[in-house]
């Protein structure tokens, strides 16, 4: 039975990999979505609003299955219509990363949008008056303050994202939840292995909270600190 624990522990590394890559994807989608919502252009605002509304309203599991199965069918059908004999299989790892990142990008969109709106607009106008470009203003003025305002919501999104990686076990990715299920079936001792898996998730979320609290303290220097 001890060997199963090592297998699950090894599978937890895959869980961490999926989580971190999905977080990166979600940040990119979140920044793009927030920029579109704050652009003032009706088309971009409409598309970003549609994205965040639809994605937040559909269960994660449904989206995961749609991307993994529907995406593969859709791409292969398109290739067939274009006269190509090539076929594409979406790898479970990539499907999990992209789907989770795409889903939580909708939540990050609202987190980043709210954080940017919390920054006094006069600061950005002053930067433009000094000749800074919009990109320089974002890097030097908006981003450092946005981090502080966004961290509480970002932390919640990240913790939920970590737990959502358990869904990739349903599409065949052998991360720790999948391996715990296999070990439970082989030994008929589900309680032990799922408790072990739950403890690993708790460790990862606890470490994440510790790190993010340090980041919050760094970006809250000179201001009243809040608890994450």
């Amino acid at each position: 039975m001890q060997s199963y624990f090592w297998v699950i522990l090894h599978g937890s590394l895959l869980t961490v990999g999926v989580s971190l890559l999905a977080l990166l994807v979600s940040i990119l989608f979140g920044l793009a979505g927030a920029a579109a919502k704050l652009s003032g252009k009706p088309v971009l605002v409409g598309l970003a609003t549609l994205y965040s509304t639809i994605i937040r309203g559909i269960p994660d599991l449904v989206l995961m299955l749609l991307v993994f199965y529907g995406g593969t069918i859709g791409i292969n059908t398109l290739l067939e219509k274009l006269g190509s004999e090539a076929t594409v299989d979406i790898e479970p790892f990539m499907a999990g990363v992209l789907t989770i990142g795409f889903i939580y990008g909708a939540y990050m969109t609202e987190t980043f949008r709210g954080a940017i709106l919390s920054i006094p607009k006069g600061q950005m106008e002053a930067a433009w008056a000094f000749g800074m470009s919009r990109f320089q203003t974002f890097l030097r003025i908006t981003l450092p303050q946005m981090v502080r305002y966004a961290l509480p919501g970002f932390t919640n999104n990240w913790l939920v994202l970590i737990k959502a990686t358990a869904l990739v076990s349903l599409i065949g990715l052998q991360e720790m939840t999948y391996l715990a299920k296999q070990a439970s079936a082989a030994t008929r001792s589900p309680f032990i292995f799922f408790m072990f898996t739950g403890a690993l998730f708790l460790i990862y979320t606890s470490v994440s909270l510790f790190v993010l609290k340090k980041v919050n303290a760094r970006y809250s220097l000179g201001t009243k600190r809040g608890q994450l």
Side-chain angles (χ1 to χ4, degrees):
M1 185 176 286
Q2 196 173 30
S3 61
Y4 287 113
F5 288 109
W6 283 109
V7 171
I8 294 171
L9 193 60
H10 185 266
S12 69
L13 298 178
L14 189 58
T15 299
V16 173
V18 172
S19 301
L20 292 175
L21 289 175
L23 177 65
L24 178 60
V25 173
S26 71
I27 291 174
L28 295 176
F29 274 109
L31 288 173
K37 280 199 167 187
L38 296 171
S39 67
K41 298 179 180 179
V43 175
L44 293 179
V45 173
L47 287 174
T49 302
L50 190 67
Y51 162 60
S52 61
T53 301
I54 291 177
I55 297 303
R56 289 185 299 163
I58 299 177
D60 298 355
L61 176 58
V62 175
L63 287 170
M64 181 76 67
L65 296 176
L66 277 174
V67 170
F68 185 64
Y69 294 109
T72 302
I73 294 171
I75 293 172
N76 288 329
T77 300
L78 180 62
L79 289 173
E80 186 179 346
K81 288 184 176 180
L82 293 174
S84 174
E85 296 183 358
T87 58
V88 174
D89 290 322
I90 299 179
E91 200 179 14
F93 180 84
M94 190 57 62
V97 167
L98 293 178
T99 305
I100 294 174
F102 185 67
I103 292 169
Y104 285 91
Y107 295 94
M108 293 294 187
T109 293
E110 297 303 323
T111 298
F112 294 153
R113 184 183 70 87
I116 293 172
L117 289 174
S118 299
I119 302 171
K121 192 174 181 181
Q123 295 186 17
M124 289 174 274
E125 292 174 345
W128 299 333
F130 274 100
M132 287 188 187
S133 66
R134 289 187 175 273
F135 183 68
Q136 288 175 321
T137 302
F138 176 77
L139 286 181
R140 298 180 182 181
I141 307 296
T142 306
L143 183 60
Q145 297 183 81
M146 186 189 81
V147 171
R148 177 166 61 89
Y149 289 118
L151 265 175
F154 179 90
T155 300
N156 289 334
N157 292 336
W158 165 238
L159 294 180
V160 178
L161 186 153
I162 292 176
K163 293 182 289 184
T165 56
L167 293 174
V168 298
S169 64
L170 298 175
I171 60 175
L173 188 64
Q174 297 186 15
E175 47 76 64
M176 60 180 176
T177 307
Y178 177 93
L179 295 170
K181 185 167 63 174
Q182 296 295 102
S184 299
T187 61
R188 297 184 179 180
S189 302
F191 182 79
I192 296 174
F193 294 111
F194 283 118
M195 280 292 291
F196 180 65
T197 303
L200 289 175
F201 273 114
L202 186 59
I203 290 170
Y204 294 149
T205 53
S206 299
V207 171
S208 297
L209 278 174
F210 176 79
V211 172
L212 288 169
K213 281 184 178 179
K214 292 294 183 182
V215 174
N216 184 54
R218 169 65 181 84
Y219 281 91
S220 298
L221 291 175
T223 64
K224 184 178 179 181
R225 297 184 183 180
Q227 292 296 321
L228 287 178

